[in-house]
Amino acid sequence: MNRALLTGGVSAVALMGGYTATRAGAEETSTADATASASPSGRPAGGGFGQTIAYDDFVGVTTDGQVVDDLYAIHSTGVSTTPVVRAAQAFVDALSDEQKAATLFDIDSDQWLDWTNIDSNDRDGVALRDLSEKQYTLGTKLLKAALSARGLQQADGIRKLNQFLGEYSGDTSKALNEDAYWFTIMGTPSAKDPWGFQFEGHHLVINYFVLGDQVVMTPTFMGSEPTKITYDGKDYHLFKEETSAGLRLLRSLNDTQLAAALSDEEKGGTNLVAGAGQDNAVMPYVGLKGSDLTRAQQKLLSDLVEVYVGAMAEGHARVRMREIEKHLDDTYFHWIGAYEDDSAFYYRVHSPVVLIEYDAQSPLAYHGDRESASPTASASPGTGPGGPGAQGEPTQQHIHTIIRTPNGNDYGVDLLKLHLETDH
């Protein structure tokens, strides 16, 4: 990994690098990570155990291995990035030299691609739990500046239910707590030059790239187990909008459209494809094409996409939605599984400029009562349909989602290339 050059003669400190390259073998041979929590999330479908590639080898999600050119451009959006720039600058300035050495990376660092959604302490950067009160406040202000109110609420809910899962499993000392989430900063926060940050932990990974007033907030992974519970006197129901928006679109289809959208494949314990370690995934279009939808149905498709895009700050979300809606006719909708209100299902929205996956998965750590919980799920492969650690049929109590920018602009890679070609 290429560390950013630090001022003041501070040497780079290598902390826990390269975990994704070795994680697969450990899990496949049922060897528990020494730093993992007592109730790990187990093997995430479609990622988390693939070989992490280098930044220079990044291509992005494509339909056939070939990138579609001229989809992205450097332009003024008219939406200010000043709040997130200032929040990032304040956060970095508050870090100690040692924390900076662990947290700051070059803009084109391999660190961008070196993320996972599993519950491991084996991560680079600085964790919320290791920050002072002032630093913690500044870190949360950075998230608040980057996300919409809805996105921040979702992120906070994921972190809170991660704390619940630690208490449920009997161990909050490692990765199952609300502050086991790490910041890394790529480049130097600037109003003009490219930079970004990554916020990473169990069930929550946000990649946020900034160039001038343009923002790319993909890949963003959000998940939870459980998703619906009363905890600490508060009712939580995460991914309610993602679930209902998908069902609304599917239920609007006529028989011919349903035949195109529905897969013959039986819903498995995990169906997610483009998760961690799958940055160069090849995913052909499948399902019902947007041009075969009525105008009202296209509105439902757009509403579904907005649920995910709307996690970023409102102005930037509007810019992103305009980009996506230009390709609505070439957007495909694919569904695996039943479609009752409480069904466990998978759906995918896929176009040249957006990929969204929603996957209700098999239980791994939460089974509704302590007697049936399995605190060592990933230490010995389970026999359920979800693969190692999975136990039982898929359920809406364990949901994984991801949103990506296909054809080379995850992590803002395409924009950075254009910037370097035209400005340097």
Side-chain angles (χ1 to χ4, degrees):
M1 298 180 184
N2 299 316
R3 299 281 180 179
L5 297 177
L6 304 178
T7 58
V10 181
S11 61
V13 179
L15 296 177
M16 304 178 290
Y19 59 87
T20 48
T22 58
R23 193 168 58 241
E27 291 290 342
E28 290 291 355
T29 56
S30 304
T31 301
D33 186 333
T35 63
S37 68
S39 181
S41 65
R43 180 176 186 169
F49 293 83
Q51 178 70 41
T52 297
I53 59 175
Y55 189 94
D56 289 343
D57 295 326
F58 173 82
V59 174
V61 174
T62 62
T63 59
D64 59 4
Q66 301 297 314
V67 172
V68 178
D69 293 327
D70 301 324
L71 290 171
Y72 312 106
I74 295 175
H75 62 94
S76 176
T77 67
V79 181
S80 176
T81 54
T82 298
V84 73
V85 170
R86 289 179 175 173
Q89 289 172 335
F91 176 66
V92 171
D93 288 346
L95 298 178
S96 68
D97 286 347
E98 183 179 4
Q99 289 171 324
K100 289 178 181 178
T103 304
L104 304 184
F105 294 80
D106 290 333
I107 185 60
D108 59 351
S109 171
D110 295 347
Q111 175 62 31
W112 277 118
L113 285 72
D114 198 11
W115 62 267
T116 181
N117 54 280
I118 68 170
D119 54 328
S120 170
N121 284 333
D122 193 7
R123 304 177 192 269
D124 290 299
V126 59
L128 286 175
R129 65 187 178 201
D130 296 326
L131 298 176
S132 68
E133 183 177 353
K134 177 183 177 181
Q135 291 169 335
Y136 190 102
T137 298
L138 292 173
T140 55
K141 283 184 176 180
L142 173 55
L143 292 178
K144 185 176 181 180
L147 303 178
S148 65
R150 189 175 74 198
L152 184 63
Q153 181 180 35
Q154 178 99 309
D156 287 347
I158 290 168
R159 291 173 48 218
K160 196 68 176 180
L161 293 194
N162 194 46
Q163 176 77 28
F164 162 81
L165 195 59
E167 295 176 8
Y168 174 90
S169 304
D171 186 1
T172 61
S173 65
K174 297 173 184 174
L176 293 184
N177 65 75
E178 63 184 306
D179 290 333
Y181 292 86
W182 282 253
F183 278 107
T184 50
I185 307 289
M186 272 59 83
T188 301
S190 165
K192 180 181 178 182
D193 296 325
W195 68 280
F197 74 89
Q198 188 177 82
F199 186 69
E200 179 194 12
H202 184 218
H203 278 149
L204 179 61
V205 183
I206 298 169
N207 289 285
Y208 198 95
F209 173 85
V210 182
L211 176 60
D213 63 6
Q214 290 182 266
V215 169
V216 178
M217 200 177 92
T218 63
T220 288
F221 182 104
M222 291 189 177
S224 188
E225 184 188 21
T227 61
K228 185 178 181 181
I229 197 169
T230 299
Y231 170 56
D232 212 13
K234 182 177 179 180
D235 292 331
Y236 291 88
H237 191 175
L238 305 186
F239 304 102
K240 181 178 180 180
E241 290 185 72
E242 290 83 349
T243 301
S244 60
L247 286 169
R248 278 195 299 272
L249 175 56
L250 190 81
R251 290 170 178 173
S252 76
L253 305 181
N254 61 36
D255 290 345
T256 301
Q257 293 170 323
L258 274 174
L262 291 176
S263 172
D264 294 333
E265 180 182 349
E266 183 179 351
K267 178 69 180 81
T270 56
N271 292 91
L272 196 80
V273 177
Q278 301 295 325
D279 286 302
N280 286 353
V282 175
M283 299 175 63
Y285 292 129
V286 290
L288 177 64
K289 194 174 182 180
S291 57
D292 294 327
L293 298 174
T294 67
R295 185 165 298 182
Q297 290 169 332
Q298 284 195 342
K299 176 62 166 60
L300 291 176
L301 175 59
S302 181
D303 289 345
L304 172 57
V305 173
E306 198 279 330
V307 172
Y308 293 84
V309 172
M312 65 196 303
E314 287 83 355
H316 299 295
R318 288 193 296 270
V319 171
R320 178 71 168 128
M321 285 302 301
R322 288 196 295 268
E323 178 182 65
I324 292 168
E325 287 171 347
K326 290 178 182 178
H327 298 270
L328 212 57
D329 281 349
D330 296 319
T331 301
Y332 289 76
F333 180 59
H334 180 57
W335 190 283
I336 301 174
Y339 39 94
E340 300 299 325
D341 287 350
D342 59 352
S343 296
F345 50 78
Y346 165 94
Y347 66 73
R348 179 190 307 173
V349 177
H350 190 187
S351 86
V353 297
V354 71
L355 171 66
I356 292 167
E357 292 185 276
Y358 167 108
D359 192 20
Q361 302 193 341
S362 291
L364 288 172
Y366 178 74
H367 297 263
D369 60 83
R370 293 185 179 278
E371 287 70 30
S372 61
S374 178
T376 57
S378 73
S380 56
T383 58
Q391 301 174 19
E393 296 300 317
T395 169
Q396 286 187 21
Q397 282 286 40
H398 187 194
I399 291 174
H400 284 188
T401 71
I402 192 164
I403 179 169
R404 284 184 174 271
T405 306
N407 292 298
N409 208 31
D410 272 339
Y411 315 103
V413 172
D414 195 67
L415 288 184
L416 179 60
K417 288 179 180 178
L418 291 171
H419 170 74
L420 296 175
E421 289 171 1
T422 57
D423 291 2
H424 293 275

